[in-house]
Amino acid sequence: MRMLLPSAAAAVATAALVVLPGAAFAAEAPAAASFTISDPRIKESSGLAASRIHPGVYWTHNDSDDGPYVYAVDSATGRTVARVTLTGIGKPRDVEAISLGPDGQLYVGDIGDNRNGTWDHVWIYRFPEPKQLGDVTVKATQFTVRYADGARNAETLMVHPVTGRVYIGSKDESKGGLYEGPAELSADGSNVFRRVADMPWVTDGAFSPDGNRLTLRGYFTARTYPWKDGRPEGEGERVDAPWQGQAESVTYTPDGSTLMFGAEGEGSRVIAVPVSQGSPGASAAPKPGSPSEAASSPEPTGGFGKGAVVLAVGLAVVFAAKRLLRRRARD
């Protein structure tokens, strides 16, 4: 997804930076550090997923105009330590998100639609996280996705770390939606995703490792919501998200102690934001075999609360400025 932010929006964006409740983590665990992606092939990093088997490694991918590639970046050096080439899938159109499931598999969301929701289906690709780092070719499983209420543009895909259920966040300047996939994805036929909540304009999201919180980010804001009964609850809490311009991605570190925020652009910076400690409901990552949440599909809820208001103001400035620039160009 490409977007040039008018300078008028920058002031609003700076004032609107927000968010986050904390997660308990071991005192002896080293704090995650910010890093710069040095690989010149990664020019449009649009998603982030922290590896669980390779400490300090983050999986990412380009937005579009790239092949079926996923990259592993070592946060200690910023260098690419693996490039995975996916086979068994069609030609990617607009890859926007990546998430690691409790099954140890990476889910890649080819879910963008820069034609404003005109594609009647999108795709999710799934493959096991490689146990050894290095350039490798793997056969991925391709899942066809359709929305129950019609085509949508989306940039956000999250896999719940306990239930393994996949969620997609649609992107709309007025009111996006959180869509819940079936309990298990099927490679045969279509997987229908159903709207379970309204949400503000977002470019990525991530569940905390224990599955009890959902953090969503946009260009200007980030908020963390309690996750209960299969949906976000309340107004959430503001996260101290960095201003990154083309802000595209977010993920938790495996211990839940830090949020990592990424952006598009060559040599882009991934910024570490510690999760505040002692927040109510904070807990460690789930243990194997822990009970899953109820898998029922809740009825759609209202908006996520007042947090969307700040975002709406920022977006209004953006689109107003864009219209003004177009008028000046015509004159």
Side-chain angles (χ1 to χ4, degrees):
M1 208 294 300
R2 299 177 179 84
M3 175 178 175
L4 295 177
L5 295 177
S7 58
V12 174
T14 302
L17 298 183
V18 281
V19 163
L20 167 80
F25 56 96
E28 67 273 16
S34 303
F35 64 96
T36 299
I37 297 175
S38 62
D39 191 335
R41 297 173 297 181
I42 306 174
K43 298 179 180 180
E44 295 185 354
S45 175
S46 290
L48 278 178
S51 171
R52 294 200 192 104
I53 59 179
H54 305 294
V57 168
Y58 292 85
W59 295 97
T60 189
H61 54 81
N62 282 310
D63 181 340
S64 55
D65 299 327
D66 196 8
Y69 307 123
V70 177
Y71 303 84
V73 179
D74 181 3
S75 62
T77 63
R79 297 176 181 173
T80 296
V81 292
R83 186 176 82 161
V84 178
T85 302
L86 305 183
T87 63
I89 65 173
K91 182 180 179 181
R93 286 189 302 206
D94 192 356
V95 181
E96 292 287 356
I98 188 169
S99 184
L100 184 60
D103 54 2
Q105 300 201 73
L106 286 160
Y107 292 70
V108 180
D110 190 356
I111 55 176
D113 188 346
N114 290 327
R115 298 179 180 179
N116 295 320
T118 58
W119 287 325
D120 65 355
H121 69 278
V122 291
W123 300 295
I124 294 172
Y125 313 126
R126 186 182 70 189
F127 64 96
E129 181 179 16
K131 294 181 180 179
Q132 302 295 326
L133 293 175
D135 292 352
V136 65
T137 298
V138 302
K139 185 175 182 179
T141 302
Q142 177 171 301
F143 303 99
T144 299
V145 170
R146 299 180 189 273
Y147 301 99
D149 54 357
R152 293 287 183 272
N153 183 23
E155 295 191 16
T156 304
L157 178 145
M158 303 86 63
V159 182
H160 194 274
V162 177
T163 67
R165 201 157 199 152
V166 182
Y167 295 84
I168 293 176
S170 70
K171 178 179 175 181
D172 188 273
E173 60 188 75
S174 57
K175 182 184 292 184
L178 181 67
Y179 289 80
E180 178 187 71
E184 293 186 10
L185 297 179
S186 172
D188 299 321
S190 296
N191 296 272
V192 178
F193 278 60
R194 304 183 185 281
R195 190 180 186 112
V196 295
D198 294 336
M199 63 193 304
W201 178 299
V202 294
T203 58
D204 202 13
F207 285 108
S208 59
D210 59 12
N212 291 335
R213 296 172 305 286
L214 173 65
T215 294
L216 299 172
R217 82 163 307 177
Y219 294 124
F220 311 129
T221 69
R223 298 189 74 84
T224 294
Y225 302 86
W227 183 262
K228 294 184 179 180
D229 299 323
R231 59 185 174 184
E233 183 177 82
E235 299 178 359
E237 295 186 39
R238 296 184 299 173
V239 178
D240 190 17
W243 164 244
Q244 293 179 291
Q246 192 65 19
E248 287 287 324
S249 56
V250 64
T251 190
Y252 279 85
T253 53
D255 64 0
S257 68
T258 307
L259 281 162
M260 307 296 289
F261 290 92
E264 285 191 3
E266 188 171 349
S268 62
R269 187 79 171 156
V270 176
I271 299 177
V273 176
V275 172
S276 59
Q277 301 182 50
S279 296
S283 59
K287 297 179 180 179
S290 59
S292 299
E293 297 178 359
S296 59
S297 299
E299 292 298 316
T301 66
F304 277 21
K306 297 178 181 177
V309 174
V310 175
L311 180 58
V313 173
L315 288 172
V317 173
V318 171
F319 292 109
K322 289 173 71 176
R323 286 194 293 270
L324 178 60
L325 290 173
R326 284 198 294 268
R327 290 196 190 101
R328 289 179 176 176
R330 287 196 299 267
D331 295 340

